[in-house]
Amino acid sequence: MLARTYDLVRFEKLNIKTMTAKAKARPDPDQPGQYLKNGRAAKAGLNRGILAQGWGLLRRRTGHKAPGRVEDVPAPYTSVRCSACGWIDKNSRKSQAEFVCSSCGFTCNADTNASINVAAGQGGIPRPRRAAGAGGATMATRRSSAREPQPEQAGIRRF
Ligand SMILES: [Zn+2]
């Protein structure tokens, strides 16, 4: 369906190896300062592994059925970039589910916001922080992190 329907398919580039690795103690999202209990952490790790394998298979199959029309978008910042204005700020990610842009006020489900960024091929690099004192290295930025809303590109359906 993806190969038939879309001219271009973009996947968030996930690190399958990391995702399928044995679960480590992870912070409990429901109780700040607490860690997930072993059973829950192991279950979460197992679920992540299953999801990652399914994702990897979907990515490979889509690549076979739509050769040259599948792109991988680096995952960093897709979840903290505002899909409306391009502003990158981890404080915009209010919770697992809620995204509220600290620059323009755009509000969206956090997963929906991230998927719009991935569909647009946008992860991006945040503005380099000015180091105290001189001589701070300035990272090259491929794209400006603050952009005007871009027109839809041909063939890419927004959702
Ligand atoms: Zn914004």
Side-chain angles (χ1 to χ4, degrees), residues 51-143:
L51 285 171
Q53 287 188 12
W55 187 254
L57 183 63
L58 177 65
R59 169 63 186 83
R60 280 196 306 279
R61 288 269 167 84
T62 308
H64 292 150
K65 289 181 182 284
R69 295 190 289 124
V70 179
E71 289 182 7
D72 295 297
V73 177
Y77 310 114
T78 53
S79 64
V80 292
R81 177 187 186 276
C82 174
S83 62
C85 77
W87 183 252
I88 295 175
D89 182 2
K90 66 177 174 9
N91 294 320
S92 297
R93 182 80 183 265
K94 297 298 179 192
S95 68
Q96 183 63 34
E98 190 184 15
F99 184 93
V100 181
C101 178
S102 64
S103 178
C104 77
F106 173 72
T107 303
C108 191
N109 173 277
D111 287 333
T112 304
N113 180 65
S115 67
I116 292 168
N117 285 328
V118 172
Q122 294 286 341
I125 302 167
R127 293 214 164 94
R129 244 178 227 154
R130 211 173 267 278
T138 303
M139 286 160 48
T141 51
R142 274 189 310 152
R143 297 184 176 105

